[in-house]
Amino acid sequence: MLLSLFAVISIATKTLADDSPSVGRPNIVFLLSDDQCTYSVGCYGNPDVQTPHMDRLAADGIVFDRHYVTTAICMASRATIMTGKYEYKTGCNFEHGALMQPLWNDSYPMLLRKAGYVTAMAGKIGLEVTQTPGKKGELPEDDFDAWGAGPGQTSYKTAQNKSMQKYAEQYPHSTLSYAAFADDFIASAANGDKPFCLSISFKAPHQPETPDERFDHVYQNKTFTKPANFGREFGQHFSLQSQQGRQFERFHSWHYSDQYDQVMRRYHQQVYAVDVALGKIRQSLVDHGVDKNTIVIFTSDNGFLCGSHGYGSKVLPYEESSRVPLMIYDPRHPNSGKGIRCKELTGNIDFLPTILSLAGVELPKDIDGRSLTMLYDEPETPIHKSLALINVWGPKKVHSLSVVTRDWKYIRWPYAAGEFKATDELYHIAADPMELQNMIDSAASAAQLTHMRAIYDSAVAKWKADAVPFHGYQPFGEIFSR
């Protein structure tokens, strides 16, 4: 299936911070897990977990400590990753609609392929493309040179994923099957004369918890230290609106409240399999002689609450849900191997400009993200003063718009009817990363509240000016107005 048109590029002198086109353009591997919180990775401070390959990638490259998804649910997050645009500019999310073809045409896989890259996609792509607003879309299978993706959530059973069935006998659980797909693709690429971009979206560790049985031994009988904000007593200062979605009831129904260790064993076991797959993919780069010119990016489409504040699942704008792991490794860069951590504000809107800049491809107009390349050179370079965090999925009561800066987060819950009134929350996350104290009524933070509300009002103004005229996004400009 994979022909000799797949490419290998000789070692380039161009570093990650050099955005000019080059005949030595790097290969790019973009790896996306699903529902993975920062607390699931050793290098983010959890000694209870085993993630040696993620930790090695972090040590080899750069770790981003303040990386957010601008919508903490998979379909919208993936559309943002592909396009570099906020959700209200893509019009793509569950209950709203598929991604419009013109927006897909300016996605990073399409623009890379147009620029001469060979592209591959495997796993849970998580979106469809449509020609007409409000109409069901189709998977963009023909827009990639190699395809191992599937519809909807895909399956943990490899045999049930049509495009991956040839790997089912050796890897009946899907997570490692994607590493096998990657090895085939990279092997074929090593015989060509073009650069490649491999994108893999793992289903893991998305619910329902379905670990690969070959790793049952990893956390057998393991007990886990609960985070300091675990439990309902640490969510009493949250809005009444935040309790109306399924995130609130899942603290009990998903058994964080009464079977924490059992639930987290299975969650972390799924992450462990992704870690093994990452290690296999990096070894494939070495085996086929392209590791010295291949940039590896690893992140997640959103985080997971895992019982923090007495909530389960994702969607909400709190840290465990909206802040996710991000590690980038450029083997050509002199800062690699120094264990650098970046504490500047970054978001999933930044992946398209980063990937295109690495490839020397001109950026589309009207994107919201900025290239992360400069942070590899200077990790203390601010590229965003603030980011918007969006939820317009699920019950109207749970819809929210938030803004986060390097040090503060402001959340607006606009729903007001019956017992509900529009509610604000303010957190000094630089001093209170667990979001244990709502500072909204604190006299000491009055000036900061005024400042954050001004940033929020600017975000609402941008929504009003830029929201797509389809899939129901324009009315939210008024809904979110204070």
Side-chain angles (χ1 to χ4, degrees):
M1 174 180 171
L2 306 178
L3 305 178
S4 60
L5 57 92
F6 297 143
V8 61
I9 297 299
S10 59
I11 298 174
T13 58
K14 176 175 176 282
T15 69
L16 189 146
D18 178 5
D19 294 343
S20 61
S22 167
V23 294
R25 292 179 295 174
N27 307 310
I28 299 166
V29 173
F30 183 81
L31 304 176
L32 187 70
S33 60
D34 194 319
D35 291 358
Q36 185 180 355
C37 61
T38 57
Y39 197 64
S40 68
V41 188
C43 68
Y44 278 90
N46 188 349
D48 287 343
V49 298
Q50 299 180 43
T51 52
H53 298 293
M54 295 177 194
D55 298 345
R56 174 63 186 274
L57 184 67
D60 288 345
I62 181 170
V63 183
F64 292 80
D65 286 318
R66 297 296 315 287
H67 182 72
Y68 289 85
V69 294
T70 56
T71 301
I73 191 168
C74 58
M75 185 176 180
S77 181
R78 290 157 194 264
T80 291
I81 288 170
M82 292 288 185
T83 64
K85 298 175 184 282
Y86 281 118
E87 180 184 344
Y88 59 82
K89 286 185 178 181
T90 71
C92 182
N93 200 351
F94 302 113
E95 302 175 356
H96 289 270
L99 188 65
M100 294 294 293
Q101 185 69 54
L103 288 160
W104 175 248
N105 291 344
D106 279 344
S107 66
Y108 81 79
M110 293 288 280
L111 293 174
L112 287 182
R113 197 179 190 202
K114 183 178 179 180
Y117 270 70
V118 177
T119 61
M121 168 62 71
K124 175 185 167 182
I125 187 172
L127 56 80
E128 295 179 342
V129 179
T130 185
Q131 297 281 356
T132 307
K135 298 294 185 181
K136 181 176 172 56
E138 296 181 353
L139 292 173
E141 179 174 355
D142 294 337
D143 294 332
F144 293 87
D145 297 292
W147 179 259
Q153 295 290 342
T154 67
S155 175
Y156 279 122
K157 295 181 179 180
T158 306
Q160 293 183 4
N161 298 321
K162 182 179 178 181
S163 62
M164 298 294 292
Q165 288 175 346
K166 71 176 183 177
Y167 302 106
E169 183 176 355
Q170 186 174 5
Y171 299 110
H173 190 284
S174 67
T175 299
L176 294 190
S177 75
Y178 298 125
F181 173 95
D183 185 64
D184 283 349
F185 176 76
I186 294 166
S188 297
N191 293 319
D193 58 359
K194 294 181 179 180
F196 65 80
C197 178
L198 168 64
S199 301
I200 293 181
S201 296
F202 298 97
K203 179 177 174 63
H206 194 284
Q207 290 274 7
E209 298 165 342
T210 313
D212 189 335
E213 293 178 356
R214 73 181 67 199
F215 302 123
D216 281 352
H217 64 283
V218 177
Y219 293 112
Q220 188 173 17
N221 300 322
K222 174 73 176 177
T223 58
F224 295 93
T225 304
K226 295 175 181 176
N229 60 3
F230 178 87
R232 286 276 163 90
E233 64 270 32
F234 297 110
Q236 294 179 6
H237 55 290
F238 285 1
S239 73
L240 183 61
Q241 288 90 331
S242 72
Q243 299 177 12
Q244 306 312 304
R246 63 190 189 184
Q247 293 72 229
F248 190 66
E249 64 87 11
R250 282 179 171 174
F251 178 65
H252 294 308
S253 65
W254 281 1
H255 298 288
Y256 296 106
S257 59
D258 61 346
Q259 299 177 29
Y260 182 76
D261 288 326
Q262 295 93 316
V263 172
M264 296 310 293
R265 284 174 200 145
R266 295 171 68 82
Y267 179 79
H268 289 309
Q269 185 174 330
Q270 291 181 107
V271 173
Y272 182 86
V274 174
D275 187 83
V276 172
L278 167 63
K280 287 179 174 291
I281 292 167
R282 291 195 68 188
Q283 187 59 49
S284 293
L285 297 173
V286 174
D287 292 344
H288 302 298
V290 293
D291 58 301
K292 298 290 193 294
N293 193 45
T294 301
I295 293 157
V296 179
I297 302 171
F298 181 90
T299 190
S300 182
D301 65 344
N302 50 254
F304 224 53
L305 284 151
C306 294
S308 288
H309 305 286
Y311 292 72
S313 197
K314 48 199 174 185
V315 174
L316 302 178
Y318 303 116
E319 289 290 283
E320 291 80 12
S321 175
S322 61
R323 190 169 65 88
V324 299
L326 171 60
M327 295 86 85
I328 299 178
Y329 172 50
D330 183 348
R332 308 161 304 162
H333 200 285
N335 278 342
S336 292
K338 296 181 179 179
I340 293 174
R341 303 189 77 102
C342 176
K343 299 187 182 302
E344 296 300 328
L345 193 64
T346 63
N348 60 351
I349 54 175
D350 298 325
F351 288 123
L352 174 135
T354 300
I355 291 169
L356 295 186
S357 295
L358 290 168
V361 176
E362 183 178 356
L363 303 184
K365 296 179 180 179
D366 195 34
I367 61 172
D368 297 303
R370 298 193 64 193
S371 174
L372 301 175
T373 54
M374 66 187 78
L375 293 174
Y376 218 111
D377 270 339
E378 299 290 343
E380 297 181 358
T381 303
I383 64 170
H384 294 291
K385 292 182 178 179
S386 65
L387 292 172
L389 308 180
I390 299 163
N391 180 49
V392 292
W393 175 86
K396 292 180 180 179
K397 295 172 184 176
V398 188
H399 292 175
S400 68
L401 180 63
S402 313
V403 288
V404 61
T405 67
R406 179 170 173 170
D407 294 330
W408 292 84
K409 182 188 293 180
Y410 172 82
I411 303 170
R412 176 73 173 177
W413 306 91
Y415 186 83
E419 64 179 321
F420 295 89
K421 63 178 182 179
T423 302
D424 299 350
E425 297 177 34
L426 180 69
Y427 298 98
H428 188 193
I429 50 178
D432 178 27
M434 293 284 186
E435 295 173 311
L436 294 173
Q437 186 176 5
N438 182 2
M439 305 290 289
I440 198 70
D441 295 322
S442 169
S445 61
Q448 191 61 47
L449 175 60
T450 299
H451 176 63
M452 293 300 291
R453 280 177 168 164
I455 294 173
Y456 174 89
D457 291 344
S458 295
V460 172
K462 283 183 61 63
W463 189 305
K464 290 179 177 179
D466 297 339
V468 294
F470 49 82
H471 294 171
Y473 280 87
Q474 288 187 333
F476 286 102
E478 293 300 328
I479 292 170
F480 287 130
S481 293
R482 291 192 303 116

